[in-house]
Amino acid sequence: MPVFNSVEIAMASFGQKNGLEVLIDPHASTASTNGKCVYLPLVSKDNESAMWGFVHHEAAHVRLSDFSAISGIPSRIFSILNCIEDVWIEYNTIITGYVGAKKRFNDLNQMLIEKGEWGVVSKGMQPISAVCMYACLYGAYKITGYK
């Protein structure tokens, strides 16, 4: 798949950091980063735009997140802060002119919904999950116009 051939170069460029390690994990359901390494899930060729959504999103974390500020905080607090930061990350990426980011974030959101990673806040959900789900969906709606 052509996208995989250029992910590492794009990640270093978008993230403004040389030597950034990029790993494709076929078992991962979503992407993540610790600022030094970016972990990306394996996505189908049909979802290439969604993969670029992951690239834009995680590169923005590398560029903008303060990883020392989250060191040692409880996982529940981290989850809420990360959800809020995710919305800010995507907003910042779109307004700073990364061409195509808005469409790629929409494609990524659609893929996550289709895979069941995102969904409607529902009864019986843990409160933290509900807050995070609401923040992400509301942010996607307000920032990218996703519907």
Side-chain angles (χ1 to χ4, degrees):
M1 198 177 333
V3 70
F4 294 121
N5 297 335
S6 55
V7 164
E8 218 167 296
I9 295 165
M11 205 45 100
S13 176
F14 295 157
Q16 298 174 354
K17 185 173 186 177
N18 288 326
L20 188 63
E21 188 176 6
V22 178
L23 299 174
I24 306 294
D25 181 354
H27 305 293
S29 61
T30 191
S32 64
T33 185
N34 60 13
K36 297 175 184 155
C37 183
V38 174
Y39 304 91
L40 297 170
L42 185 61
V43 297
S44 73
K45 191 173 186 175
D46 298 337
N47 287 324
E48 195 170 296
S49 183
M51 171 59 94
W52 283 111
F54 278 132
V55 169
H56 278 296
H57 183 94
E58 295 307 320
H61 273 298
V62 170
R63 192 174 67 253
L64 301 168
S65 295
D66 182 355
F67 292 96
S68 66
I70 58 172
S71 178
I73 64 171
S75 63
R76 289 180 177 197
I77 302 298
F78 170 79
S79 293
I80 292 171
L81 292 175
N82 189 56
C83 290
I84 293 167
E85 184 184 38
D86 282 349
V87 173
W88 175 76
I89 286 284
E90 293 186 6
Y91 173 73
N92 190 284
T93 301
I94 290 167
I95 66 165
T96 55
Y98 281 88
V99 177
K102 188 173 184 176
K103 180 190 181 321
R104 290 171 179 153
F105 288 144
N106 277 333
D107 292 344
L108 174 58
N109 295 339
Q110 185 62 41
M111 184 190 78
L112 291 172
I113 288 168
E114 288 171 2
K115 287 176 59 181
E117 299 290 325
W118 269 25
V120 178
V121 174
S122 59
K123 233 180 191 180
M125 226 181 204
Q126 292 293 320
I128 288 177
S129 297
V131 167
C132 290
M133 187 70 64
Y134 179 79
C136 288
L137 291 171
Y138 183 77
Y141 169 74
K142 290 302 262 184
I143 293 167
T144 68
Y146 183 78
K147 295 181 182 181

PDB file of all heavy atoms in Angstrom, residues 1-17:
ATOM      1  N   MET A   1       0.849  -1.176   0.000  1.00  0.00           N
ATOM      2  CA  MET A   1       0.000   0.000   0.000  1.00  0.00           C
ATOM      3  C   MET A   1       0.899   1.245   0.000  1.00  0.00           C
ATOM      4  O   MET A   1       1.746   1.396   0.872  1.00  0.00           O
ATOM      5  CB  MET A   1      -0.887  -0.034   1.245  1.00  0.00           C
ATOM      6  CG  MET A   1      -2.064   0.859   1.124  1.00  0.00           C
ATOM      7  SD  MET A   1      -3.250   0.874   2.496  1.00  0.00           S
ATOM      8  CE  MET A   1      -3.142  -0.675   3.275  1.00  0.00           C
ATOM      9  N   PRO A   2       0.720   2.159  -0.957  1.00  0.00           N
ATOM     10  CA  PRO A   2       1.584   3.333  -1.075  1.00  0.00           C
ATOM     11  C   PRO A   2       1.632   4.198   0.182  1.00  0.00           C
ATOM     12  O   PRO A   2       2.643   4.811   0.473  1.00  0.00           O
ATOM     13  CB  PRO A   2       0.985   4.110  -2.242  1.00  0.00           C
ATOM     14  CG  PRO A   2       0.124   3.164  -2.974  1.00  0.00           C
ATOM     15  CD  PRO A   2      -0.271   2.095  -2.011  1.00  0.00           C
ATOM     16  N   VAL A   3       0.550   4.266   0.925  1.00  0.00           N
ATOM     17  CA  VAL A   3       0.521   5.123   2.103  1.00  0.00           C
ATOM     18  C   VAL A   3       1.586   4.730   3.109  1.00  0.00           C
ATOM     19  O   VAL A   3       2.203   5.579   3.744  1.00  0.00           O
ATOM     20  CB  VAL A   3      -0.890   5.148   2.738  1.00  0.00           C
ATOM     21  CG1 VAL A   3      -1.241   3.820   3.386  1.00  0.00           C
ATOM     22  CG2 VAL A   3      -0.997   6.247   3.779  1.00  0.00           C
ATOM     23  N   PHE A   4       1.839   3.434   3.273  1.00  0.00           N
ATOM     24  CA  PHE A   4       2.807   2.987   4.264  1.00  0.00           C
ATOM     25  C   PHE A   4       4.231   3.368   3.895  1.00  0.00           C
ATOM     26  O   PHE A   4       5.075   3.532   4.757  1.00  0.00           O
ATOM     27  CB  PHE A   4       2.698   1.479   4.492  1.00  0.00           C
ATOM     28  CG  PHE A   4       1.399   1.085   5.111  1.00  0.00           C
ATOM     29  CD1 PHE A   4       0.554   0.197   4.475  1.00  0.00           C
ATOM     30  CD2 PHE A   4       1.009   1.609   6.335  1.00  0.00           C
ATOM     31  CE1 PHE A   4      -0.652  -0.161   5.047  1.00  0.00           C
ATOM     32  CE2 PHE A   4      -0.199   1.257   6.910  1.00  0.00           C
ATOM     33  CZ  PHE A   4      -1.028   0.375   6.270  1.00  0.00           C
ATOM     34  N   ASN A   5       4.492   3.512   2.596  1.00  0.00           N
ATOM     35  CA  ASN A   5       5.827   3.876   2.152  1.00  0.00           C
ATOM     36  C   ASN A   5       6.202   5.299   2.556  1.00  0.00           C
ATOM     37  O   ASN A   5       7.375   5.616   2.680  1.00  0.00           O
ATOM     38  CB  ASN A   5       5.939   3.734   0.631  1.00  0.00           C
ATOM     39  CG  ASN A   5       5.733   2.306   0.191  1.00  0.00           C
ATOM     40  OD1 ASN A   5       5.951   1.378   0.953  1.00  0.00           O
ATOM     41  ND2 ASN A   5       5.287   2.120  -1.035  1.00  0.00           N
ATOM     42  N   SER A   6       5.220   6.145   2.763  1.00  0.00           N
ATOM     43  CA  SER A   6       5.520   7.553   3.045  1.00  0.00           C
ATOM     44  C   SER A   6       5.115   8.011   4.442  1.00  0.00           C
ATOM     45  O   SER A   6       5.340   9.158   4.785  1.00  0.00           O
ATOM     46  CB  SER A   6       4.827   8.427   1.997  1.00  0.00           C
ATOM     47  OG  SER A   6       3.450   8.141   1.959  1.00  0.00           O
ATOM     48  N   VAL A   7       4.553   7.119   5.251  1.00  0.00           N
ATOM     49  CA  VAL A   7       4.061   7.511   6.577  1.00  0.00           C
ATOM     50  C   VAL A   7       5.169   8.054   7.466  1.00  0.00           C
ATOM     51  O   VAL A   7       5.008   9.081   8.124  1.00  0.00           O
ATOM     52  CB  VAL A   7       3.323   6.335   7.262  1.00  0.00           C
ATOM     53  CG1 VAL A   7       3.157   6.560   8.746  1.00  0.00           C
ATOM     54  CG2 VAL A   7       1.962   6.130   6.621  1.00  0.00           C
ATOM     55  N   GLU A   8       6.310   7.373   7.504  1.00  0.00           N
ATOM     56  CA  GLU A   8       7.395   7.806   8.387  1.00  0.00           C
ATOM     57  C   GLU A   8       7.905   9.200   8.005  1.00  0.00           C
ATOM     58  O   GLU A   8       8.146  10.036   8.878  1.00  0.00           O
ATOM     59  CB  GLU A   8       8.533   6.787   8.343  1.00  0.00           C
ATOM     60  CG  GLU A   8       9.157   6.596   9.703  1.00  0.00           C
ATOM     61  CD  GLU A   8      10.055   5.377   9.760  1.00  0.00           C
ATOM     62  OE1 GLU A   8       9.568   4.253   9.597  1.00  0.00           O
ATOM     63  OE2 GLU A   8      11.256   5.606   9.976  1.00  0.00           O
ATOM     64  N   ILE A   9       8.047   9.458   6.735  1.00  0.00           N
ATOM     65  CA  ILE A   9       8.512  10.766   6.265  1.00  0.00           C
ATOM     66  C   ILE A   9       7.478  11.838   6.599  1.00  0.00           C
ATOM     67  O   ILE A   9       7.817  12.903   7.120  1.00  0.00           O
ATOM     68  CB  ILE A   9       8.793  10.733   4.744  1.00  0.00           C
ATOM     69  CG1 ILE A   9       9.952   9.793   4.452  1.00  0.00           C
ATOM     70  CG2 ILE A   9       9.067  12.135   4.208  1.00  0.00           C
ATOM     71  CD1 ILE A   9      10.100   9.410   2.999  1.00  0.00           C
ATOM     72  N   ALA A  10       6.210  11.549   6.327  1.00  0.00           N
ATOM     73  CA  ALA A  10       5.140  12.505   6.620  1.00  0.00           C
ATOM     74  C   ALA A  10       5.037  12.762   8.113  1.00  0.00           C
ATOM     75  O   ALA A  10       4.853  13.900   8.544  1.00  0.00           O
ATOM     76  CB  ALA A  10       3.809  11.996   6.079  1.00  0.00           C
ATOM     77  N   MET A  11       5.168  11.717   8.911  1.00  0.00           N
ATOM     78  CA  MET A  11       5.073  11.851  10.361  1.00  0.00           C
ATOM     79  C   MET A  11       6.171  12.781  10.889  1.00  0.00           C
ATOM     80  O   MET A  11       5.915  13.658  11.703  1.00  0.00           O
ATOM     81  CB  MET A  11       5.201  10.463  10.980  1.00  0.00           C
ATOM     82  CG  MET A  11       4.595  10.229  12.312  1.00  0.00           C
ATOM     83  SD  MET A  11       2.963  10.840  12.638  1.00  0.00           S
ATOM     84  CE  MET A  11       2.009   9.397  12.424  1.00  0.00           C
ATOM     85  N   ALA A  12       7.380  12.600  10.413  1.00  0.00           N
ATOM     86  CA  ALA A  12       8.487  13.467  10.834  1.00  0.00           C
ATOM     87  C   ALA A  12       8.248  14.901  10.396  1.00  0.00           C
ATOM     88  O   ALA A  12       8.499  15.848  11.142  1.00  0.00           O
ATOM     89  CB  ALA A  12       9.810  12.948  10.273  1.00  0.00           C
ATOM     90  N   SER A  13       7.724  15.080   9.183  1.00  0.00           N
ATOM     91  CA  SER A  13       7.450  16.419   8.671  1.00  0.00           C
ATOM     92  C   SER A  13       6.310  17.089   9.419  1.00  0.00           C
ATOM     93  O   SER A  13       6.451  18.206   9.932  1.00  0.00           O
ATOM     94  CB  SER A  13       7.121  16.329   7.180  1.00  0.00           C
ATOM     95  OG  SER A  13       6.762  17.592   6.685  1.00  0.00           O
ATOM     96  N   PHE A  14       5.150  16.422   9.505  1.00  0.00           N
ATOM     97  CA  PHE A  14       3.993  16.996  10.194  1.00  0.00           C
ATOM     98  C   PHE A  14       4.268  17.186  11.685  1.00  0.00           C
ATOM     99  O   PHE A  14       3.815  18.134  12.289  1.00  0.00           O
ATOM    100  CB  PHE A  14       2.747  16.115  10.033  1.00  0.00           C
ATOM    101  CG  PHE A  14       2.227  15.979   8.631  1.00  0.00           C
ATOM    102  CD1 PHE A  14       1.458  14.885   8.285  1.00  0.00           C
ATOM    103  CD2 PHE A  14       2.485  16.928   7.658  1.00  0.00           C
ATOM    104  CE1 PHE A  14       0.955  14.730   6.992  1.00  0.00           C
ATOM    105  CE2 PHE A  14       1.989  16.795   6.370  1.00  0.00           C
ATOM    106  CZ  PHE A  14       1.228  15.686   6.042  1.00  0.00           C
ATOM    107  N   GLY A  15       4.989  16.231  12.266  1.00  0.00           N
ATOM    108  CA  GLY A  15       5.286  16.306  13.696  1.00  0.00           C
ATOM    109  C   GLY A  15       6.452  17.215  14.027  1.00  0.00           C
ATOM    110  O   GLY A  15       6.738  17.487  15.186  1.00  0.00           O
ATOM    111  N   GLN A  16       7.144  17.677  12.981  1.00  0.00           N
ATOM    112  CA  GLN A  16       8.305  18.556  13.130  1.00  0.00           C
ATOM    113  C   GLN A  16       9.343  17.951  14.076  1.00  0.00           C
ATOM    114  O   GLN A  16       9.890  18.613  14.957  1.00  0.00           O
ATOM    115  CB  GLN A  16       7.883  19.950  13.602  1.00  0.00           C
ATOM    116  CG  GLN A  16       6.972  20.635  12.618  1.00  0.00           C
ATOM    117  CD  GLN A  16       6.424  21.958  13.106  1.00  0.00           C
ATOM    118  OE1 GLN A  16       6.628  22.353  14.242  1.00  0.00           O
ATOM    119  NE2 GLN A  16       5.702  22.641  12.238  1.00  0.00           N
ATOM    120  N   LYS A  17       9.610  16.661  13.879  1.00  0.00           N
ATOM    121  CA  LYS A  17      10.564  15.960  14.735  1.00  0.00           C
ATOM    122  C   LYS A  17      11.271  14.878  13.924  1.00  0.00           C
ATOM    123  O   LYS A  17      10.642  13.960  13.422  1.00  0.00           O
ATOM    124  CB  LYS A  17       9.845  15.337  15.925  1.00  0.00           C
ATOM    125  CG  LYS A  17      10.759  14.687  16.915  1.00  0.00           C
ATOM    126  CD  LYS A  17       9.987  14.250  18.140  1.00  0.00           C
ATOM    127  CE  LYS A  17      10.927  13.731  19.195  1.00  0.00           C
ATOM    128  NZ  LYS A  17      10.205  13.373  20.415  1.00  0.00           N
TER     129      LYS A  17
END
